[in-house]
Amino acid sequence: MVPKLEKLLKSSPNLPSLPGVAVELLKECRRPEVDIDRVCDLLARDPALSAKVVGVANSPAYRRGSPVTTVKRASLALGTSAVTALALSFSLVSQRASRGSFDFAGYWRRGLLNAVAARCLAQQVRIDPEEAFLAGLLQDIGILALNAAVSGYDDIVREAKQDHLRLERLEREQVGAGHPEVGAWLATGWGLPEALVRAVMGSHVPLEGANASVLGKCVAVSGNVSAIWLKAGDKGATQEAAMSAKTWLGISSEAFQEVLTRMADAARGYAEAFEVALPSAKDMKSILSQAKDTLVQVSLRATQVATRSEADVQRLAAEKRTLEEQYARDALTGVYARGYLEATLGQAFDGAVQFDRALSVLFCDIDHFKKVNDTHGHAVGDKVLAAVARAVVASTRQLDVVGRYGGEEFVVILPATNASGALVVAERICHRVAALAVSSDKGVAVPVTISVGSATYDEQWRARDLAELLSSADGALYQAKRNGRNRVVLYVP
């Protein structure tokens, strides 16, 4: 996220927030042994919230026996995970502050359908349905944050015409970040679990690689499923939802019909509890019937439709990756740009603190770069920058992140890497750069070296915050310059 947007968000008084009860519940449920009495006491502080939790416990989606009449029985019947997810969900849906002509009713209609769909999908693939419910509800929370902070944001929403990938593209073009990224930033600030943060980040096309998760895939599919009910009678919406469920979750057409049936049965109870207007029971039944007819037709021409729809899903994923690359990469060097780098640094440091793991950061600065520009011209300077960037990337692992911090300075993020491991990488960078064969337009050899400063957050030294870690790495870099350049200096606390 670009610093300008983050500053704007931080200064907005109307960002979505969690009330004290919800925050305390979240803290309690992170304890190794959750105290159910403590959970009940916290809920009792908010009678309206307590009543809603009890109401949901008696809904068709949860009820298993005799009616639930107390918070204690609701907590025992639902479990602390469900109670916490519901409490957080109710707290979020109750918020309405915004600017402009934003359609809150429409936003929460889609949000609740996303949540119910994610829960039903999670049940189908056997992961925690309550975590999926909350993740589905949070899927587009970045939209609320942008609407609260960015003047004229409702014009961007109208221009997107309910196409969330198009909306994300417009957001990146006009404000510097898409709503999934903003939503993940918001969820991180609330202290939500990392799994939920990642699910929000990949809310339309699931994250890949190490960040991929079944929860994230459920959330991404849920947005397509909700479109079935919001675009009643649209066969394309049903086909796209079914194909995304098959591609990302391995859910067959027959199993997907069961998901839709379960969702139609549960949605009305949630609508009443959350006081969100959904299609009537009659309309839900009619839409469900149309969707099932469409799925039967899809099955009859499975090969043709599957090929075409899978191509559509891959196209959407490719479009998202292209957008991310376009706005995240430095045009000259091909490494990550500063905005992306700063966001990743924040996430990496928070993860190191939360999971008590090492994190190393390298500051790398090309030696005498101004002299290169003055002597050979900026075109040769650009050639040197690109060559050095390639050398730095070639010296790192796939999980490491390399970015251009500004001018001739690069930063390398080394997750789960201690000081000795960082030293190995830093020295490798120095050797590769010194071995570069760069020549001017006149064929004159241009010697290139680089200085590197390294700082590590681990059990030996725990920086107070990210700023202290970066300042320490930067200080080590300047020490390397003072010591003669073309060398590595490790920060020693």
Side-chain angles (χ1 to χ4, degrees):
M1 189 190 312
V2 295
K4 181 179 178 181
L5 176 59
E6 184 171 359
K7 182 177 180 181
L8 188 63
L9 289 165
K10 287 180 177 178
S11 65
S12 173
N14 295 322
L15 285 187
S17 59
L18 295 178
V21 171
V23 172
E24 289 298 317
L25 274 172
L26 192 59
K27 289 181 180 178
E28 178 61 33
C29 290
R30 281 183 168 179
R31 292 159 56 92
E33 295 184 7
V34 180
D35 185 341
I36 193 71
D37 291 325
R38 169 68 173 158
V39 171
C40 295
D41 289 343
L42 288 170
L43 282 173
R45 295 182 188 177
D46 189 331
L49 188 59
S50 299
K52 288 180 179 295
V53 170
V54 170
V56 171
N58 285 297
S59 70
Y62 291 94
R63 186 170 175 178
R64 296 291 182 270
S66 59
V68 174
T69 56
T70 66
V71 171
K72 180 67 173 287
R73 289 192 61 185
S75 299
L76 291 171
L78 299 176
T80 54
S81 173
V83 168
T84 304
L86 289 170
L88 294 177
S89 300
F90 281 126
S91 300
L92 290 170
V93 177
S94 66
Q95 301 179 49
R96 292 288 190 272
S98 71
R99 62 164 76 194
S101 56
F102 187 78
D103 180 12
F104 255 108
Y107 173 87
W108 285 120
R109 185 179 301 115
R110 172 181 159 85
L112 186 57
L113 286 170
N114 287 345
V116 179
R119 184 177 190 273
C120 293
L121 289 164
Q123 290 174 319
Q124 186 68 37
V125 296
R126 300 184 184 282
I127 65 171
D128 185 352
E130 314 316 331
E131 184 179 45
F133 181 91
L134 179 57
L137 192 71
L138 288 167
Q139 178 179 139
D140 295 322
I141 197 68
I143 291 177
L144 289 190
L146 288 170
N147 181 69
V150 178
S151 178
Y153 179 71
D154 47 350
D155 293 333
I156 299 176
V157 174
R158 280 193 293 273
E159 187 178 349
K161 297 179 181 178
Q162 299 184 352
D163 182 331
H164 277 247
L165 283 173
R166 184 181 183 188
L167 175 60
E168 185 178 350
R169 181 171 65 250
L170 291 171
E171 290 164 343
R172 289 182 179 275
E173 292 172 354
Q174 298 186 37
V175 302
H179 61 270
E181 183 180 350
V182 174
W185 172 84
L186 196 63
T188 299
W190 289 342
L192 295 182
E194 187 177 353
L196 287 176
V197 174
R198 289 199 302 267
V200 174
M201 179 68 84
S203 55
H204 299 310
V205 177
L207 300 179
E208 299 177 346
N211 289 320
S213 70
V214 178
L215 173 64
K217 293 174 182 179
C218 284
V219 172
V221 175
S222 74
N224 292 334
V225 175
S226 65
I228 295 175
W229 312 100
L230 295 173
K231 301 177 180 180
D234 186 336
K235 293 183 179 180
T238 300
Q239 292 176 4
E240 184 173 348
M243 183 49 59
S244 64
K246 181 178 180 180
T247 302
W248 290 331
L249 293 172
I251 297 177
S252 67
S253 178
E254 293 75 15
F256 187 64
Q257 291 185 49
E258 296 176 9
V259 170
L260 294 183
T261 300
R262 194 157 56 240
M263 183 175 173
D265 292 339
R268 298 307 307 166
Y270 282 109
E272 294 173 5
F274 282 85
E275 298 178 2
V276 172
L278 296 183
S280 66
K282 182 179 179 180
D283 288 342
M284 292 284 280
K285 184 177 181 180
S286 175
I287 294 169
L288 177 62
S289 178
Q290 293 175 33
K292 287 186 174 181
D293 287 343
T294 299
L295 290 172
V296 169
Q297 294 171 20
V298 169
S299 296
L300 292 175
R301 55 180 191 276
T303 303
Q304 176 185 359
V305 174
T307 302
R308 184 172 65 249
S309 297
E310 187 170 359
D312 288 342
V313 171
Q314 296 302 323
R315 175 183 58 78
L316 292 175
E319 180 179 350
K320 180 177 176 64
R321 286 194 296 270
T322 299
L323 281 171
E324 290 175 341
E325 289 296 311
Q326 178 182 349
Y327 289 96
R329 295 283 180 178
D330 175 63
L332 174 62
T333 63
V335 299
Y336 287 108
R338 180 159 179 168
Y340 181 89
L341 186 66
E342 289 180 335
T344 305
L345 278 166
Q347 294 171 5
F349 185 80
D350 290 343
V353 173
Q354 181 179 354
F355 298 105
D356 193 24
R357 62 193 178 201
L359 170 67
S360 292
V361 176
L362 307 181
F363 268 64
C364 313
D365 190 87
I366 301 174
D367 297 327
H368 302 298
F369 184 70
K370 183 177 183 302
K371 184 178 179 180
V372 173
N373 280 330
D374 292 344
T375 303
H376 303 286
H378 288 280
V380 175
D382 289 349
K383 185 189 295 187
V384 169
L385 283 169
V388 169
R390 290 193 295 270
V392 174
V393 171
S395 304
T396 58
R397 304 165 299 180
Q398 187 173 4
L399 61 85
D400 301 329
V401 177
V402 178
R404 186 180 177 190
Y405 203 65
E408 66 273 23
E409 192 170 34
F410 297 85
V411 167
V412 183
I413 306 171
L414 303 172
T417 304
N418 59 21
S420 59
L423 177 61
V424 171
V425 177
E427 290 183 337
R428 187 186 304 142
I429 290 172
C430 279
H431 293 152
R432 281 184 182 272
V433 171
L436 288 173
V438 181
S439 59
S440 71
D441 295 339
K442 297 179 180 180
V444 177
V446 180
V448 184
T449 60
I450 197 166
S451 299
V452 182
S454 174
T456 299
Y457 174 97
D458 60 8
E459 68 276 2
Q460 302 300 322
W461 176 65
R462 303 193 185 282
R464 292 189 301 272
D465 51 29
L466 177 60
E468 184 179 27
L469 180 65
L470 297 182
S471 175
S472 300
D474 196 36
L477 168 63
Y478 279 99
Q479 186 61 48
K481 293 284 190 182
R482 288 192 293 269
N483 290 353
R485 296 183 169 85
N486 188 25
R487 66 193 62 228
V488 178
V489 170
L490 300 184
Y491 170 74
V492 178

